[in-house]
Amino acid sequence: MQMTVTVKPTGRMIGAEVRCGDVRSLSDDASRAVYPALLDHLVILIRGQSLTDPELIAFGRRFGELDFAPLARTGKEKARPHPEIIVVSNVLENGVPIGVLRDAEVVWHSDNSYRETPLSYSGLYALEIPPSGGETGYVNMYHALETLPRELRARIEGRTLKHDLTYNSAGDLRAGFQPVTDVRAAPGPSHPIVRTHPETGYDALYLGRRPNAYINGLPVDESEQLLNALWAHATRPEFQWHHTWRAGDILIWDNRCAMHHRNPFDGGHRRIMHRIQCAGDRPVHQPSGKAGPHPRAATLVEAAR
Ligand code: OGA
Ligand code: MN
């Protein structure tokens, strides 16, 4: 039976639910209808799935070449049964964490911005969900750039940002790294602050994560002040959409133009997610790229007036 794909926007600045039936039997035609929804809405939610790890891997491959995200390891958790899948969980097995990110708040970030070639897409599949907390939130970084006050936009023109790789987004020190004492000396690559999306051709604000970030070439206090202003703008509550999970949900998001965050939850409850991720390109800014906001950002800016 041919399943029609329907796309229902969240009504917020980002995100849409995609109804496409069981993703294990998604036809190539239907898959071609899901992909543009991801480019248009930056995050898609697909509910009611029941997948084994190999099935999740097969679905993830529809979005690109899978990446093993080796630096996501803290060195403390159980070995991965499938190198493509990262377990995000607070559950312990015989005292050993089965995954990463515990039950902590996960600060706003874009996955793997601390690599020369960060991820394009990430996807989380929910196996066990606590009764409350642990919601995952998103912001639209095309929109953040488009609505950025002119004065701030002028101050970041042509600048690059250094992305620290010392800590993960739950604040855990990665295996083999020392605490950061000077943001200018923190290890990690530099990327343009305004990034041209390689598929849509539109510009987005690319901030990575706040802790230990540094805007190259500025005195540290000026970099801190400018970063604080950019972050306060990008993560304004009215720009956010938070998803309340159910087991069987899949969320897939585009790290090149969206940031995400997780609320903390009560560690007395179990949360188990399996994550897949797709390899991406080196971030670039193309001055010759398409001018103006991503069409969806333009619609939102118009609606907000
Ligand atoms: C991730 C992540 C947040 C969550 O897996 O990249 O940030 O809600 N997870 O578990
Ligand atoms: Mn993440």
Side-chain angles (χ1 to χ4, degrees):
M1 190 189 77
Q2 188 62 43
M3 172 82 202
T4 46
V5 173
T6 59
V7 178
K8 190 169 161 277
T10 60
R12 306 284 299 174
M13 303 285 180
I14 187 165
E17 181 178 347
V18 170
R19 298 198 181 133
C20 60
D22 184 335
V23 300
R24 292 175 301 190
S25 45
L26 201 64
S27 67
D28 289 345
D29 273 355
S31 192
R32 275 192 283 277
V34 171
Y35 196 80
L38 180 54
L39 287 178
D40 285 352
H41 298 280
L42 292 53
V43 186
I44 54 171
L45 164 66
I46 305 174
R47 308 203 92 146
Q49 304 299 313
S50 175
L51 304 180
T52 62
D53 283 345
E55 287 165 348
L56 177 62
I57 290 170
F59 179 59
R61 289 209 173 105
R62 291 192 176 270
F63 299 90
E65 179 202 339
L66 293 187
D67 186 283
F68 297 174
L71 292 168
R73 285 197 186 93
T74 63
K76 296 196 174 71
E77 74 277 9
K78 200 176 136 183
R80 297 181 194 174
H82 297 275
E84 295 90 345
I85 290 183
I86 295 176
V87 176
V88 175
S89 185
N90 64 323
V91 171
L92 304 180
E93 256 176 35
N94 304 319
V96 178
I98 64 167
V100 296
L101 302 182
R102 302 178 284 115
D103 52 18
E105 177 184 359
V106 171
V107 297
W108 285 104
H109 68 284
S110 171
D111 285 335
N112 288 206
S113 70
Y114 48 79
R115 286 165 64 183
E116 297 288 345
T117 53
L119 302 173
S120 52
Y121 304 105
S122 305
L124 277 178
Y125 171 55
L127 287 101
E128 288 187 49
I129 291 299
S132 64
E135 300 85 1
T136 307
Y138 294 88
V139 284
N140 179 329
M141 300 303 278
Y142 294 122
H143 180 65
L145 181 67
E146 184 54 23
T147 56
L148 195 65
R150 221 181 283 277
E151 179 261 341
L152 287 179
R153 178 74 196 246
R155 287 170 69 194
I156 60 170
E157 209 60 56
R159 295 222 173 252
T160 60
L161 179 66
K162 194 147 74 69
H163 294 249
D164 172 47
L165 72 80
T166 308
Y167 300 91
N168 73 13
S169 46
D172 299 319
L173 194 65
R174 292 183 206 285
F177 287 91
Q178 298 304 314
V180 174
T181 52
D182 179 347
V183 291
R184 290 166 302 186
S190 290
H191 298 306
I193 304 184
V194 175
R195 174 177 189 182
T196 307
H197 192 290
E199 290 176 82
T200 66
Y202 289 94
D203 287 346
L205 193 61
Y206 190 61
L207 296 181
R209 63 198 68 205
R210 180 64 187 88
N212 301 310
Y214 170 63
I215 301 179
N216 291 301
L218 294 184
V220 172
D221 55 350
E222 204 180 309
S223 163
E224 290 290 311
Q225 189 260 333
L226 181 49
L227 283 171
N228 288 344
L230 293 171
W231 277 92
H233 173 78
T235 60
R236 277 159 54 174
E238 63 270 31
F239 291 176
Q240 303 175 12
W241 168 62
H242 275 81
H243 174 59
T244 302
W245 290 91
R246 288 185 215 148
D249 288 350
I250 302 175
L251 274 184
I252 300 169
W253 63 90
D254 188 336
N255 288 296
R256 300 164 295 189
C257 52
M259 291 199 304
H260 58 286
H261 164 272
R262 181 186 76 193
N263 288 328
F265 60 98
D266 176 353
H269 294 287
R270 290 158 63 94
R271 187 178 189 268
I272 305 179
M273 322 290 268
H274 283 190
R275 196 185 94 170
I276 43 101
Q277 52 277 313
C278 298
D281 304 327
R282 176 184 293 274
V284 290
H285 179 233
Q286 277 162 344
S288 59
K290 281 185 217 169
H294 176 272
R296 182 164 161 74
T299 313
L300 292 166
V301 170
E302 202 47 52
R305 283 206 173 106

